Amino acid sequence: MRLLLATLCAIGCICPASSQRLEHHDLLLFSLTQNADSSWLPNAPRFLTKFNPKGYNNQPAFFSDNELYLTVQFPADTTQTDLVALDLGSLTQTRVTATPLTAEYSPTLMPSGRRFSCIRVEEDGSQRLWSFPIDRSDNGRPEFPNIYGIGYHCWLRDTLAAFFIVGENGAPHTLQVAGTRAQKPQRIASNIGRCLLRTASGQLAFVTKTTEQTWFLKTWNPQHNQQEIVVKMPTGSEDFTILPDGTYGTGSGPRLFQYKPGRQTDWKEIANLSQYGVKKITRLGSSRNKKLVVVVE
């Protein structure tokens, strides 16, 4: 793998597995404020993907309060995706990987804070979980060498990871977990969504698709191996984020919704982004210092 030094590019502002050319997506960044009734409001939108206005920009993940990693495919690329880091303070971007024979996606900060992980589509088409040092001091290593078909992942602690395993030959996608020592996968659920997140209490939050129209947000407790339904998802929504106070956020069309366990009985609309030209919200990410990033079409 060839690691690149920083490439500087201004990030603009606004006021109101890759073997093919991927569809264009953009990223919007908001500051969040909270009302007395616990409703979160997105403010001060900023357009983050001016550096790649016609390419694929997706899967944002906050590595710190002011650093965002994402998966990018530039217009000239047709056989790869790479990882880019955005510095939200200096308004610059760094191309983290440039690997013509492999594709990297789903960047995730590991619990130690010294390494990050991602899914790598290798030269033979295998999809495995790799990790790399934050300081780019080596070319990385597979963390679970014998687990293949990984689509997405989430670290529950430094020795335990959860995986979205791609179903083969029409089989449903499954949720599996494995420890870094035994590296023996345990199946938790099937027919799951692509979003896997760790809650503040160390549980895994994910979506199960009971039918084509009925999807539930659930949690899994690794200590007791128990699942619990949190809330039914809006129709067609499988992506979500967890805000600083434990509130869940999701999108449906151009609208943003929130759900606060123990306070609300259903999703509550908090914003309509159609005023910014947004037709559909897909993935979301949030930071501890009350920033919200959304992937939009």
Side-chain angles (χ1 to χ4, degrees), residues 45-82:
R46 298 166 62 192
F47 180 62
L48 295 183
T49 41
K50 184 178 180 180
F51 70 94
N52 190 29
K54 296 182 179 180
Y56 175 82
N57 309 287
N58 216 324
Q59 301 177 330
F62 281 96
F63 277 31
S64 70
D65 288 342
N66 289 302
E67 188 174 36
L68 188 72
Y69 275 52
L70 62 148
T71 305
V72 167
Q73 185 183 65
F74 294 99
D77 296 330
T78 58
T79 60
Q80 70 180 97
T81 55
D82 287 308

Side-chain angles (χ1 to χ4, degrees), residues 1 3-6 63 67 69 85 94-96 109 112-116 131-141:
M1 181 176 104
L3 297 177
L4 299 186
L5 298 177
F63 277 31
E67 188 174 36
Y69 275 52
T94 303
R95 187 164 177 174
V96 178
L109 184 66
S112 69
R114 296 187 296 272
R115 298 183 72 85
F116 70 92
S131 77
F132 304 91
I134 291 291
D135 63 6
R136 328 282 200 261
S137 58
D138 66 49
N139 288 334
R141 63 175 183 252

Side-chain angles (χ1 to χ4, degrees), residues 123-183:
E123 293 179 54
D124 64 357
S126 299
Q127 293 183 200
R128 296 191 295 173
L129 182 66
W130 282 64
S131 77
F132 304 91
I134 291 291
D135 63 6
R136 328 282 200 261
S137 58
D138 66 49
N139 288 334
R141 63 175 183 252
E143 286 290 329
F144 295 84
N146 297 317
I147 299 181
Y148 293 85
I150 301 174
Y152 307 96
H153 73 292
C154 171
W155 290 94
L156 297 175
R157 53 178 183 265
D158 58 357
T159 58
L160 182 67
F163 308 109
F164 173 112
I165 300 296
V166 179
E168 296 182 354
N169 301 319
H173 307 311
T174 59
L175 172 61
Q176 300 183 27
V177 297
T180 55
R181 292 172 185 164
Q183 303 211 359

Side-chain angles (χ1 to χ4, degrees), residues 12-290:
C13 300
I14 63 173
C15 295
S18 300
S19 59
Q20 58 184 346
R21 184 72 54 78
L22 300 174
E23 292 184 5
H24 172 65
H25 292 78
D26 278 315
L27 270 64
L28 295 179
L29 180 73
F30 296 87
S31 296
L32 292 171
T33 56
Q34 194 171 27
N35 290 333
D37 66 354
S38 297
S39 295
W40 289 94
L41 297 176
N43 304 290
R46 298 166 62 192
F47 180 62
L48 295 183
T49 41
K50 184 178 180 180
F51 70 94
N52 190 29
K54 296 182 179 180
Y56 175 82
N57 309 287
N58 216 324
Q59 301 177 330
F62 281 96
F63 277 31
S64 70
D65 288 342
N66 289 302
E67 188 174 36
L68 188 72
Y69 275 52
L70 62 148
T71 305
V72 167
Q73 185 183 65
F74 294 99
D77 296 330
T78 58
T79 60
Q80 70 180 97
T81 55
D82 287 308
L83 306 181
V84 165
L86 302 182
D87 187 314
L88 303 177
S90 62
L91 306 184
T92 59
Q93 57 99 355
T94 303
R95 187 164 177 174
V96 178
T97 65
T99 53
L101 299 180
T102 63
E104 291 79 38
Y105 62 96
S106 294
T108 302
L109 184 66
M110 296 176 68
S112 69
R114 296 187 296 272
R115 298 183 72 85
F116 70 92
S117 54
C118 69
I119 308 303
R120 168 171 276 183
V121 182
E122 301 172 20
E123 293 179 54
D124 64 357
S126 299
Q127 293 183 200
R128 296 191 295 173
L129 182 66
W130 282 64
S131 77
F132 304 91
I134 291 291
D135 63 6
R136 328 282 200 261
S137 58
D138 66 49
N139 288 334
R141 63 175 183 252
E143 286 290 329
F144 295 84
N146 297 317
I147 299 181
Y148 293 85
I150 301 174
Y152 307 96
H153 73 292
C154 171
W155 290 94
L156 297 175
R157 53 178 183 265
D158 58 357
T159 58
L160 182 67
F163 308 109
F164 173 112
I165 300 296
V166 179
E168 296 182 354
N169 301 319
H173 307 311
T174 59
L175 172 61
Q176 300 183 27
V177 297
T180 55
R181 292 172 185 164
Q183 303 211 359
K184 215 171 167 183
Q186 174 190 353
R187 180 169 167 160
I188 303 299
S190 62
N191 289 311
I192 66 165
R194 62 194 177 190
C195 187
L196 307 175
L197 292 179
R198 181 188 183 278
T199 70
S201 62
Q203 298 188 63
L204 176 69
F206 63 101
V207 169
T208 57
K209 301 180 178 182
T210 307
T211 69
E212 288 187 9
Q213 300 296 323
T214 305
W215 300 354
F216 290 100
L217 177 63
K218 300 180 74 174
T219 57
W220 175 72
N221 186 320
Q223 184 175 359
H224 303 292
N225 192 22
Q226 293 178 341
Q227 297 182 36
E228 182 177 339
I229 293 176
V230 178
V231 67
K232 182 182 176 182
M233 294 294 290
T235 300
S237 299
E238 65 177 314
D239 296 296
F240 60 92
T241 189
I242 303 176
L243 302 177
D245 68 341
T247 296
Y248 291 94
T250 192
S252 180
R255 292 174 168 83
L256 279 171
F257 294 84
Q258 73 165 57
Y259 173 75
K260 181 68 179 292
R263 191 177 182 104
Q264 297 171 228
T265 58
D266 204 350
W267 295 96
K268 175 183 178 180
E269 183 176 336
I270 57 174
N272 188 331
L273 304 187
S274 60
Q275 61 182 309
Y276 307 117
V278 174
K279 295 180 180 179
K280 182 180 180 181
I281 299 166
T282 55
R283 292 179 171 89
L284 310 92
S286 55
S287 68
R288 293 171 297 181
N289 66 338
K290 303 177 183 178

